[in-house]
Structure formats: C-alpha cells, structure tokens
Amino acid sequence: MRGVVLLSGGIDPVSGRPAVPRGEVAAIGLALSAGGAVGGLHVGEGSVAQRQAGGYGLERVDCLRGGGDAVAILAAHLSAPPPDLVLAGSRACGGEDSGMLPYLLAERLGWPLLAGVMAIGAVADGWLSVTIGLPLGARQEARIRLPCILCAHDAAPAPPFVFDRARRVVVRTVDVSDAPPVPVVEGVERPYRARPRLIGSAGPGGGGTVLENPEPAEAARVLLAHLRALGMLGSSEGASIDA
Amino acid sequence: MTGRPRRDPRAERARCLVPGGVRPRLVRAGWDGVLTAEAGPRPPAVVCIEEPAFWVAAIVETPEGRPDRWGRQVLGAARVLAGAEGGVVALVTGVEAGHGVGEGGADRVVVLDIAIGPEAMPGVMLAALAPFAPRHVVMAETPAGGDWARRLAARSGWSIQAGIEMLNARQALRPVGAMRRERAAAPARVLTVPIDRVAPYGGMRREGRGCVPPDVPVLEARVQVGPVVLAQAAEMPLAEAPFVMAAGQGVRDFDSFHALSRFLGATEGASRVVCDAGLMPRGAQVGASGTVLDARCYLAFGIAGAPQHLQGLGKVEHVVAVNTDLHAAIVARAGLAIIADAQAVMPALLDLLREEG
Amino acid sequence: MGALIAAEIGGIALAALAGWLVLLARWLKGRPAAGSWLAGLRHVPRRYLVDVHHVVARRPAAARMHALAAGGVLSGAVMALPAGLLGAGRIVWALAALAFGIGGIGALLVWRRRVPRSPPGLSGGAFLWLPAALAAWCVGNGLAALFMAVGAPALPVVLAVLLGGAGGVGLLRLVALGPMRHALAGVAWLAGHTRPGRFTGRDTALRPLDLVAPRLGVLVPADFLAPELAGFDACIQCGRCEEACPAFAAGQRLNPKALIQTLSAAMRVAPAAYAGRPAPGAPVMDGKGGMARPIVGNVLHRDSLWACTTCRACVEECPMLIEHVDAVVALRRGQTLMLGAVRDGAAQALQASRERAEPGGRDLAARGDVLATLDVPVLPPGGETGILLWLGEGAFDARYGRTLRALVTLMRQAGLRFATLGADEVDCGDLARRLGDEATFQALAAEAIGALKARRFAKIVTADPHALHVLRNEYPALGGQWTVQHHTGLLDELVRDGRLRLERRQGGSVAYHDPCYLGRYNGEIDAPRRLLDAACGGRVEMARHGMKAMCCGGGGGGPASDIDAVTRIPDLRMEQARAAGAGVVAVACPGCTAMLEGVTGPRPEVRDVAELVLAAVVAS
C-alpha cells in the first residue's frame, strides 16, 4: 500500500521553533503500520520540520512549491497517480490551524475520510479497517473504502525519532503550477493572549474547602456529594457497581 | 420529578459574581459543576418566538439525554450570535434527545438519528438546516462535533472558525499560528467552541419547539462505523483517565481501596512510596517520574503531596484529598480536603455507596 | 640445565606474546584511534607504576599482593631467561630464585584473598585456579633457579622445571582464555588510553561525534575504538566499580563490572564464563557474541545502559583506568541516534530539547520568572557585563528558585555586576548528550555558543554543575571558550576577599553532598567546604565524600529514563547523611536538590550552600 502523509508548516506552540506536530507524528506511525512505501507531502518551502519528519520514518518528503490554494495544489499532485492512503494530523500547526485541509481535500478528491484514527488494520476487498479513538478511552471499529484520507488521533502510537533517518531523508522541492488564490482571511491578527476559562468555584489554585476531623460517615457523605457535584459519578455509577 | 436536580440560572449567575458586587468572579480554572447541584424554583415564563429575523443553529450532542455543560455552552454561543432578533434552532443528536434544550436557549429543536454515520452527517445536517437558512452554525469542538463541523463546512463551502476562545455578536476570536497568535474577525458561518470558553445561556427558558427531522438522503456509504466500545476505568491508561483515585502511605487496606475504585468507576493510581513498596504496580505511579495525569478529578487517599507527586497532577481540574495532616501540600492544592484517616473514610464511603445501591 | 630453564620460561613467554598478538588482531577490528598506539607503549611503565599504582594503593593489601605476585613472576622470569640462555653465575640464579620466592609469597596472598571467604565484589570461576598456577610457576622456577645456584644434580632441576612449566601453562590458559588476559590487555590499554589527558591532569569531557559518519555511536563491538576494546579486556574484575556504583546499590539492572565483562565477552563467539555478580535482577542475555553482532538487547540488557547516572564513581575507582562512562555513552549514542531506542521519559525529554531547546518542554521566556522579584537585568546581544549568570534547568523548579534567589541576593550584596541571557538561554545540552543524543547536543551547543559570543562578559557563573561541566569542558571542542565558575567557587572567592562577611550560625550539623559533576568531573571539593565551615556550626562528612561521593541519582538522564529499582538512589544517599549524624544536607546542584528533596519521611533538611551562606551573611 502506498501512503502519503501530509505535513504542515510545523511550528511548536511553546517555542515557535520548527517541530513535527504530534498528530502528524501519529499519522506517520499509522502510515508505517500500514506497510509499504511512505512519503511525506508538504505545500511550501521545506524547513527543519520536514527533515525532522524523516526522523520519524518518512523516506522522502516532497515540498510542493507553487502559489495559491494548498488544497488545489495537493489535489492536483495526488490525482496522478493517486496513492492508496493519505494521512494527516488532527490539525496543522503554524498556519490557519483550522483542521480543514484534509476535509477540503477529501471533498475535492471525492474520497471518504475518517478522523481520530488510532490504529490501522487489514485491507479486504478495497476496504481498510481502522480503529477510532473516542474520549475517555472508548474505541470504535470502522471500515473505509480505499483510497481514503485518515486523520490520526493525537494519542495514536508515535514512532520513535531516529536522527539517522532524519539525516538521510530525501527532501525534494517540486515546482508546481500556481493554483487559484485563496480568499484573504479577514480580521485582525495579533500575538496570542491566554484568556482564563469560564468562571468556576474552585480550581487548581486551591483555596478549597477543608473539613477538619469529621466523623468517617460525615466525611464519606461530603466526599460523595462533592464527587457527584463534580459530575464524576454520573450515570455510570450503576454500571460500575455491577462491573 | 425525575430526581435530577433542576438548574436555576439566576442562582448560578449570582454565585458567579464577586460577593456583594456586580463584577463576575474570575478564576483561572475550569467550570465547576457544583453550580448545577443547586435546586431551585423553575423559571415561570417561557419565551416563544414565531418569526425571528434570522436563525442561528446549534448542533448539540446529548450523550446522556440532555445537553451537558459543553452542550449548554454551544447553545449559549448560538444565543449570543442570535441576539434579541434571531432565533436558535438546535440540532440534537443522542439518546432521548430533546430534554433541557429549551432551558439551554433553543427556540426550535430538531432531533437527528444518532445512528447517522459521519459520512452522511453533513448531508443530513444541510437538509435539516435548509428550512432555517441559518446565519451561523455552532458546534462543540469535541471529536464528533469538530468532525461534523469540518465536514459541513467542506461540503457547503461555508466559512469556518474552529476553536473560538471568545465570542460576541460582532466578532469571534481564535488562536492561529500554533497557538502563538490570535485573530479577531466577524463570526464565520460555522463556528466550533472548545469547552468553557462561552457561557451557557442564562436567560428565561425558550420554547424549544420540536420540529420534524428531515428524510435522511441515502448515500452510497464508503464508511461503515461499528459500535462504540467503552473503556473500563480499571483498564484505562492512567494518562487518559478522567477520574483517578490514588493511594499513598496513608492507605494500608488495599482491598477496600480496590473495591472503592470499582464502585466509583475510577482508575487507580498511587504515590511513589506505595509503588516502591510493591503494593501497587509501577505503572500506577503518579508524579514527575511516573505518569502525568490529564484527569478531570483526582481523589487522593493518604497522600501528602511531595513536589514530584504534585507535578504529576499537571492539568487536573479538581483535587480531592483525604489526609491526616492539615499542613500537607496536597491540602493546599485540593478543592475539597478532608483531614481524616483515609483508612477510616474508605470503609465509610464504601458503606454509603452500598447503602445507596 | 640452564638452557632447559630458559627454554621453559622462554617458551611460555613466546606463547604469551603469540596470545597477545591474537588479542591485538581482535582489538584492531575496532575503529582506529587518533594517535599512534605503538608510540603510546613508551608511556606504559610510568602509567603502570604511577597512575595505576595510585589507584591500586588505595587498598594497601591489594597493592602488596599485586606488587609481590606480578613483580616476582615477571622479575624472576626476566632474570632467569637470560641467565639460562647466556649462562650466568650463581649469584644471578640466586637472585632469580629470590624473585620467584617473592612471587610465591604473592601467590600466597592471591590465595588468601579468596580464602577463607571471598569478598562479594570479587569474581570466582577461573580465578580460583590462579593462586595454584602462580604458586607452581614461582615454586617450580624458583627451585630450579635455587638448584642452579647451589649446583644441584640434573634430576631435581628437571622436576622443578616441569612444575614451573605446568604453572606456566596454567597461567597461559588463564591469560589466553580466562580473565588473566588482563595482564596482556592492560599493557595495550595503557599504551592507547583514550583519555591521555588523565595522566597529566583531568580529562572528563565527552568527545564530540562526527555527525556525518555512517555509523554514529556503537551498535556492535567493532564500533568501539580499538584501544577501548583492549580496555574491556584489561578488566581484572576486582569489583571496586560495582561497590561504588549507585545504580548497582539501588538494585537497578547495572553492574559496571558485569557491563565491562559483557563488552569484553561481546567480542568473542565463545567467551569465558563470567563468575562475578551480575547486574541486579537483569534477565540472562545469552545472545551470541561477535565483532559484528549487536550488543544491546543481545548480550547486554537495555536497562543496564539507561540506569547509569554517568557519575564516574566507577571510573574513579577502576585501577585499570577503564572508561566505563565513555562506553555507556558510546552505546547510548548508537541506540539513540541510529535506532531511536530510548526509554519513554527520555524520548520526551529529547523531543522537548530538540523542539523547545529545553528538556522539560517549558517556555524559555519563563526561565527568569523565578527571579522576577529581584529584577535581574537581561543582557541583550552586544551588551556587556561583569558576570553572566547561567540559570540552567533548575530555574524552572520552584524549590530551586530559592537557591537562585539566595545566590542573586548574595551577588547583589557583594556589589557584583551581572546579568542573565533571558529567553536567549537555551538548555546547555547536558541531558541530551548524556542520553546519547549528540545531534541535539551539538545543535543546542551551537545556539548557546552563539548567544554567548554575541555578548561580552568577564566570566560565566552558574549554580548548575552539569551546565558548568558542559560550558567549561565540553564547549571548547565546539568553539566556545570562557571562564566558567561554579557559584560555590564565586561565593568562596567573595568571602575570602572580604566582600561578604559571614557569621557562623549554630544549628544542626551539616553534611556536604558533593555533586558528581563538580567533584569528580571538575575536582572542586574544597570551596563549598570552606564556605560551610564559615557559615555553619558543625560540619560532618558522610562516609563517601569528595571524589568518592555517591551520586544522588539525578545525573545522566537517570530520572528521565526512570529505570526500575529496588530502592531509590537518593534514599540511599539520605540514609548515609543520617548515618553521619547530619541535620542538614548541603547541596550545590539543582539535580541533587530535586532528588534529595524527593526523599519522603522524616529526614535531614536539604539546603543549598548559597542558602546557608545567605543565612550567615552579615552586613559588611
């Protein structure tokens, strides 16, 4: 199976340095687990991040150099000849970061897409079986027709970084014809400012309730009421008693 | 009465103000569900709106029958965008869907079949939304909601702003460029909200009138999705578990501890000392040299909270501690600290849980 | 008759030489070392008699045994061989007999070493035959020489030569196939020692790796330098390293002696059995050895590699001057750079080092937050100051912030002009380098050197001995040379110059815990003690202190790799402090602070030297 991993600009949120986003590392891992040749695809000039992607197991990264809509450029590049599988991270890191690119690409190519993929299974009759990761450790099995686009779950197993691979990866710049320009994104852009989340009654800062030397029964009652109020016991209580 | 406590939005709002003032209280923390526990009188009136100037749609997941905290915030965001003139239509997916959506701020409710696969979903949504021609569609940036929003935007060609961190009727603000920059712009056609970014609707109850769901257009399915397999708390990776219950030196009776974790549906953790002593497996160790948690709630029995241990609590929202030492570091970190012997509290808690069945 | 003796001794000597050539041929399959190995032979006598003896003599009994046995065996042979060949007078034979006699006493001491009870650090197995072989050689040849001296008839001489020859064959067997190859390999190792700087001073810096070489680090024995391979064969299994190793003491899967023996065995398809203590709890790795066969995961357990704290205690104790830490780092380089096979925690730290220039993954701009209340100036590029304060990784830790604030307060009181790099201070790369990620280390080093070169200052001061070692000793090879001082050195200087006046505080007794990277790596063990003597009431010493101090467990990426242990290293160290009767453990390193503060239960207090000095300072 021929797999292609989409690589974004790759900026680390904390340092602003080039870095392969976690989801894209997971995507490389999924592609490798599917077997066969795995290449990387990036729209724009290659940077350190693309070379680092090689460290996670890509043998080759093609950087498509051309102006205009990245989706159109990718769609044109992927249509001849199409790979079996296109993988992406949950969302890009360093640009618009909307997570739209794989969806727009799937729409344009007319391929099916699944997001949150944790693992890739076998191929049977042109159908690929995958495991989808849901919140709280839940899992869902699914089958998808090839060729398809898969967005890796951030928690999908990541392959190790190997410097020897990173130094040997072939990063190739491919000049492609310009695509129609994307509409200008409106709005005012400025440095990010962390905003506090919504109002609550207690938080990691502490300063919570302290109950000194209560009777065990009283302590238990307060504890249970508190956990219930936090929503930690919820409806799963009955089920967990049976379990 | 169903036994489920009713929300009282006004009481909630009052609790969110600084004491005696009109300024909202700001806490660098997540939302605390304690607010919902307050029972109160039901708002008397219901707002009904027949012909709004425009519609705003909210897609609400109700996995447990009614909108959860996040779902109510999605409705709240839709209400912000609708303002006084607009109406809010909620597209609800989930079991026994439709409860509590009016309180959340919806004027109309369309219940969608939960079994609709991800591939068919944008088509179904577009069909359901067509009569309303919504100006905006708001969804939660959950795994499912985020997926639907992007499918919808890609299918319809509508503009999208994913992961709004601040919203009013005129502009939406979201991080871009690897969370290092942010952009403020007029709200797009499709918006997704992360948890605890937009307040739930706090006004008078809306009508929440049910509307007929559309006929689902049959698609050639290229994706087949199987049933969801829920993870058992005991088998959940510690780093992913939402509710962790941990034992420290103050715990000696591990049978009670294990029984309690089963009752509470919590994943088990432990302090380093307990792991060193071989009383719990090494994989259960919480702390800088063990697992760093991403849980919502951490229930610590007999743990003093050494610096390395507290480092392992990472982003944990709610810490509950049972410890004999009032001056233990974990007491300062806890939202609720009970200064008592964990050995005595655990059986009492077990008794209480058994009593309640 | 003389010819017979000469033939016997000469034959054994020739056979030994042939054995040496066989060994040499194997070592030469390793990578060529810089400099001439042959030329190094001229240093061997001095290195044996001065440097090796210096270490051996720390245990006088062992030194005596070694001098008598090795001296007697060799000098007797050296006298008897020409005497037999050229014919000599009775006096020469008598002297040879005397030498063999001394060797015989040595053999007795060798025997006494393991009888009646063998110390746990010593290996058994083939070693049990050594006293017998030595005794036969010395007694046989000694009697033969004696008979020659007194002019005895032929028969006794022949019998004596037979006995000596039997002993010689036994020794040969132990040399060629057993652990006594130490004798032959030792010569080669000392001639080609990979750290010649050790013989003229201190040489503890890791060597930079050429990152374009096809094979980075070591995966198979042939990837080691040829002299290093000889070094592994030079191990005599005396067990001093394992007695000093903190990981071994904590029950981690590392025994430095077993490690070196494993590396020696890894060169051979059919190695001699190892009869010493293994690494605690390590499963038997019975893979096949060979010059081109993988080491880790085949003959060496992975955990052995990552348990090492790079504290150099084993190197400090090794009488053969073997470089255990170099071997560990070379193997780690192979695992990390060629295979990416590191422990999970270490992988995270390396990724953060690569992508955020900070192993903890924190924002570089937040490093100075700990000093926010003290308003320490940040030196912009092109700026000039007296002292550049390198904050290090500890600055991100709230506990260690107290230390840094104490240091800054003291520097202010002494009227020093200093500044930090602010957000331009990247990690020095210590962790990445010790974990074998030379690529990330060199990238970080280049960035740090660039940031430092863009500013002017008289010297760098840091409270982190790991940063100190990297900046002072390892950056010069990469083009960055500065005067780098540890904060204890600076404070000591200030106190001695009278710029800080201290008044001794009474209180519990204080024990100073030497950081490995300040003590063993840089030889600085006196300045902190002088400071403590001036600042605190009673100072006590732990049994292991100074150059022999035990590691806290925090070095070499130990906490990041987090190898399973029976007990924790800092718990052991804290127990030693308790045993010394200390009420306060004085530290001088962020790693030690974090590790020792992590010890739970009632225990001596952990205070940095700077904090104790600040408590004792009086207005001048």
Side-chain angles (χ1 to χ4, degrees):
Chain A
M1 195 152 51
R2 198 165 81 85
V4 169
V5 178
L6 304 182
L7 300 172
S8 69
I11 298 288
D12 182 82
V14 172
S15 67
R17 291 159 185 257
V20 189
R22 177 67 182 82
E24 284 166 30
V25 175
I28 295 172
L30 290 178
L32 293 172
S33 76
V38 181
L41 200 54
H42 170 68
V43 180
E45 300 282 340
S47 79
V48 180
Q50 277 71 53
R51 193 156 278 285
Q52 281 186 356
Y56 291 105
L58 297 181
E59 283 167 23
R60 209 185 66 195
V61 177
D62 288 345
C63 296
L64 308 181
R65 193 165 59 185
D69 184 8
V71 175
I73 291 175
L74 282 173
H77 187 82
L78 285 172
S79 49
D84 302 298
L85 196 58
V86 171
L87 291 115
S90 48
R91 60 166 79 181
C93 228
E96 193 57 25
D97 301 359
S98 63
M100 278 302 291
L101 185 127
Y103 290 86
L104 292 169
L105 190 60
E107 203 65 37
R108 181 169 300 228
L109 291 171
W111 291 6
L113 174 149
L114 270 177
V117 177
M118 273 285 189
I120 289 185
V123 179
D125 301 333
W127 288 80
L128 173 69
S129 58
V130 299
T131 307
I132 294 173
L134 298 173
L136 309 188
R139 297 285 183 269
Q140 192 171 27
E141 296 298 324
R143 300 204 316 146
I144 185 166
R145 245 205 121 75
L146 293 173
C148 66
I149 299 185
L150 300 178
C151 298
H153 195 290
D154 276 354
F161 177 86
V162 184
F163 173 75
D164 184 47
R165 289 199 212 125
R167 67 177 180 162
R168 283 190 286 121
V169 65
V170 181
V171 178
R172 205 174 53 144
T173 303
V174 185
D175 284 307
V176 295
S177 48
D178 285 359
V182 272
V184 179
V185 189
E186 291 164 15
V188 186
E189 207 179 302
R190 56 194 177 216
Y192 180 73
R193 185 164 70 85
R195 288 174 174 72
R197 285 180 180 263
L198 274 189
I199 301 158
S201 67
T209 319
V210 178
L211 197 61
E212 277 189 74
N213 304 314
E215 286 299 307
E218 164 74 0
R221 205 187 51 72
V222 173
L223 200 65
L224 204 58
H226 187 76
L227 290 177
R228 208 157 264 155
L230 294 177
M232 295 323 297
L233 302 183
S235 59
S236 56
E237 188 186 312
S240 55
I241 288 169
D242 296 335
Chain B
M1 286 296 282
T2 55
R4 193 176 274 131
R6 288 276 172 203
R7 284 177 58 248
D8 176 4
R10 278 176 299 181
E12 275 182 28
R13 251 197 322 185
R15 289 198 48 178
C16 294
L17 299 178
V18 292
V22 289
R23 189 166 56 80
R25 190 202 306 258
L26 282 179
V27 178
R28 274 186 183 276
W31 175 265
D32 192 327
V34 171
L35 300 182
T36 58
E38 298 283 320
R42 209 171 144 165
V46 175
V47 180
C48 298
I49 188 164
E50 282 306 322
E51 290 289 322
F54 61 92
W55 287 100
V56 174
I59 317 282
V60 182
E61 298 163 63
T62 58
E64 283 167 19
R66 53 171 49 234
D68 58 3
R69 177 163 118 239
W70 206 339
R72 290 197 303 275
Q73 290 169 3
V74 168
L75 285 166
R79 275 258 66 100
V80 167
L81 293 168
E85 304 292 303
V88 170
V89 52
L91 263 55
V92 184
T93 68
V95 287
E96 298 177 54
H99 299 284
V101 184
E103 287 97 322
D107 300 295
R108 303 284 184 278
V109 179
V110 183
V111 176
L112 299 181
D113 184 358
I114 195 171
I116 300 168
E119 217 197 355
M121 192 51 107
V124 173
M125 281 181 179
L126 282 173
L129 292 173
F132 299 91
R135 193 179 276 184
H136 303 285
V137 183
V138 189
M139 300 189 211
E141 185 62 55
T142 53
D147 183 53
W148 295 337
R150 288 171 180 84
R151 285 180 195 275
L152 183 68
R155 176 69 52 85
S156 61
W158 293 346
S159 62
I160 179 169
Q161 287 164 340
I164 297 296
E165 294 203 347
M166 210 186 73
L167 178 72
N168 58 39
R170 286 176 315 283
Q171 70 169 19
L173 198 141
R174 63 176 295 264
V176 295
M179 295 281 294
R180 296 175 64 77
R181 300 186 65 73
E182 62 186 23
R183 185 184 302 118
R189 190 85 185 264
V190 181
L191 301 105
T192 66
V193 290
I195 197 159
D196 292 343
R197 288 298 185 183
V198 182
Y201 173 61
M204 267 199 285
R205 187 183 162 179
R206 314 290 290 205
E207 186 186 2
R209 185 194 305 166
C211 299
V212 186
D215 283 336
V216 179
V218 179
L219 266 169
E220 186 211 357
R222 295 169 303 173
V223 172
Q224 297 169 356
V225 189
V228 173
V229 183
L230 293 174
Q232 291 297 313
E235 295 152 12
M236 220 178 283
L238 200 52
E240 278 183 55
F243 182 17
V244 176
M245 175 178 140
Q249 272 175 305
V251 172
R252 293 176 299 282
D253 175 9
F254 278 85
D255 290 337
S256 291
F257 180 77
H258 297 314
L260 198 53
S261 76
R262 275 197 304 279
F263 261 106
L264 294 174
T267 309
E268 292 184 358
S271 74
R272 178 179 53 73
V273 183
V274 168
C275 295
D276 283 355
L279 297 168
M280 290 277 286
R282 181 64 64 183
Q285 185 176 327
V286 173
S289 57
T291 303
V292 176
L293 302 181
D294 192 21
R296 223 166 80 68
C297 180
Y298 183 66
L299 174 55
F301 281 106
I303 291 180
Q308 275 98 338
H309 186 81
L310 291 185
Q311 279 173 37
L313 300 195
K315 291 177 284 182
V316 174
E317 230 171 289
H318 305 289
V319 175
V320 180
V322 180
N323 194 299
T324 47
D325 180 9
L326 176 61
H327 304 290
I330 198 149
V331 172
R333 172 78 165 80
L336 171 67
I338 293 175
I339 311 303
D341 186 359
Q343 280 295 111
V345 174
M346 286 195 305
L349 196 53
L350 269 176
D351 287 347
L352 192 61
L353 283 163
R354 288 202 181 100
E355 217 171 90
E356 292 186 357
Chain C
M1 274 301 107
L4 178 68
I5 298 174
E8 179 245 326
I9 293 177
I12 297 289
L14 279 177
L17 182 67
W20 197 76
L21 291 175
V22 171
L23 287 173
L24 186 66
R26 183 177 291 127
W27 301 328
L28 285 172
K29 288 179 188 156
R31 283 192 286 179
S36 165
W37 203 350
L38 204 60
L41 277 173
R42 69 179 187 279
H43 300 300
V44 170
R46 201 192 122 81
R47 290 177 179 178
Y48 247 120
L49 296 175
V50 177
D51 301 284
V52 170
H53 179 75
H54 176 74
V55 183
V56 177
R58 290 179 201 157
R59 299 191 183 178
R64 241 179 348 256
M65 173 202 83
H66 202 261
L68 292 179
V73 166
L74 289 178
S75 60
V78 163
M79 280 188 275
L81 188 59
L85 276 179
L86 310 171
R90 294 182 170 203
I91 297 188
V92 177
W93 282 116
L95 283 175
L98 183 68
F100 279 121
I102 290 169
I105 298 170
L108 193 67
L109 292 180
V110 172
W111 177 70
R112 283 291 298 161
R113 208 146 181 237
R114 289 179 172 80
V115 176
R117 210 164 43 81
S118 178
L122 289 181
S123 295
F127 277 103
L128 301 177
W129 289 99
L130 179 61
L134 273 175
W137 169 261
C138 289
V139 169
N141 289 325
L143 282 178
L146 188 66
F147 294 151
M148 292 300 287
V150 299
L155 184 64
V157 176
V158 171
L159 288 176
V161 165
L162 280 177
L163 179 64
V169 170
L171 283 178
L172 263 185
R173 224 186 119 70
L174 282 169
V175 165
L177 304 172
M180 288 312 291
R181 62 174 170 265
H182 141 77
L184 304 180
V187 175
W189 166 234
L190 289 177
H193 200 287
T194 48
R195 288 189 178 275
R198 278 185 73 171
F199 302 105
T200 51
R202 196 170 305 284
D203 182 3
T204 54
L206 292 176
R207 308 270 189 273
L209 196 61
D210 176 13
L211 292 175
V212 296
R215 171 67 59 89
L216 304 171
V218 169
L219 293 177
V220 302
D223 295 332
F224 277 112
L225 293 174
E228 285 181 305
L229 294 173
F232 304 145
D233 278 353
C235 170
I236 185 57
Q237 309 184 35
C238 66
R240 296 186 190 197
C241 52
E242 74 176 47
E243 287 168 22
C245 178
F248 179 78
Q252 292 180 338
R253 290 173 170 173
L254 170 63
N255 176 340
K257 176 171 107 175
L259 168 77
I260 296 300
Q261 282 302 311
T262 301
L263 293 177
S264 170
M267 289 183 251
R268 297 165 166 83
V269 179
Y274 170 64
R277 278 192 287 188
V284 178
M285 305 294 289
D286 50 3
K288 220 176 178 153
M291 289 307 280
R293 288 181 193 275
I295 297 172
V296 178
N298 180 34
V299 292
L300 180 69
H301 195 276
R302 288 183 185 286
D303 287 358
S304 296
L305 205 54
W306 304 109
C308 175
T309 66
T310 68
C311 74
R312 278 185 81 85
C314 49
V315 183
E316 183 71 21
E317 293 302 324
C318 180
M320 282 315 293
L321 314 179
I322 295 169
E323 292 286 344
H324 308 65
V325 175
D326 284 354
V328 165
V329 171
L331 286 163
R332 284 183 178 183
R333 283 174 171 173
Q335 294 297 304
T336 306
L337 297 171
M338 298 300 291
L339 306 174
V342 297
R343 304 268 301 181
D344 284 350
Q348 283 173 27
L350 292 178
Q351 186 181 0
S353 299
R354 211 162 52 233
E355 297 174 352
R356 298 184 176 168
E358 206 291 294
R362 292 153 294 202
D363 187 0
L364 294 178
R367 195 192 298 271
D369 288 359
V370 75
L371 300 176
T373 53
L374 295 171
D375 201 23
V376 178
V378 171
L379 193 64
E384 190 273 335
T385 188
I387 292 174
L388 186 103
L389 185 60
W390 184 274
L391 296 177
E393 209 200 339
F396 289 105
D397 177 43
R399 162 66 188 90
Y400 200 68
R402 294 216 299 271
T403 301
L404 288 174
R405 284 193 293 274
L407 174 62
V408 165
T409 309
L410 287 167
M411 289 168 79
R412 280 263 158 80
Q413 288 195 12
L416 299 178
R417 207 160 58 87
F418 59 95
T420 69
L421 284 180
D424 283 358
E425 181 185 326
V426 295
D427 183 67
C428 66
D430 167 70
L431 183 73
R433 186 166 231 200
R434 306 309 136 188
L435 285 173
D437 191 347
E438 183 70 5
T440 302
F441 167 74
Q442 290 189 13
L444 287 170
E447 200 175 336
I449 290 171
L452 289 168
K453 277 193 170 161
R455 291 152 170 95
R456 281 168 299 134
F457 45 83
K459 64 180 172 187
I460 300 172
V461 168
T462 179
D464 184 344
H466 296 263
L468 171 94
H469 173 64
V470 170
L471 266 65
R472 179 193 279 173
N473 302 324
E474 297 192 337
Y475 279 3
L478 300 167
Q481 193 123 29
W482 293 278
T483 307
V484 189
Q485 197 176 25
H486 190 244
H487 75 304
T488 54
L490 174 78
L491 294 176
D492 181 47
E493 214 173 85
L494 294 174
V495 170
R496 281 197 287 177
D497 292 354
R499 298 175 76 175
L500 284 178
R501 268 190 44 226
L502 303 186
E503 206 162 74
R504 194 173 290 170
R505 294 285 146 132
Q506 292 311 316
S509 47
V510 180
Y512 175 63
H513 163 79
D514 291 88
C516 308
Y517 276 75
L518 190 62
R520 270 188 295 275
Y521 275 81
N522 281 286
E524 294 185 17
I525 55 176
D526 298 325
R529 287 183 166 78
R530 275 195 298 272
L531 282 170
L532 291 176
D533 285 337
C536 307
R539 190 167 65 77
V540 293
E541 288 286 11
M542 292 186 255
R544 290 181 61 182
H545 63 271
M547 301 299 278
K548 293 166 130 12
M550 183 168 136
C551 176
C552 69
S561 294
D562 196 27
I563 296 293
D564 282 349
V566 176
T567 45
R568 293 176 77 245
I569 297 171
D571 290 0
L572 295 173
R573 186 58 170 160
M574 195 54 94
E575 195 44 57
Q576 295 169 5
R578 250 190 230 115
V584 174
V585 179
V587 290
C589 167
C592 303
T593 311
M595 295 307 286
L596 293 173
E597 285 279 21
V599 176
T600 54
R603 58 161 167 80
E605 223 185 317
V606 177
R607 305 287 298 277
D608 191 274
V609 173
E611 293 177 274
L612 293 168
V613 169
L614 181 64
V617 81
V618 287
S620 48

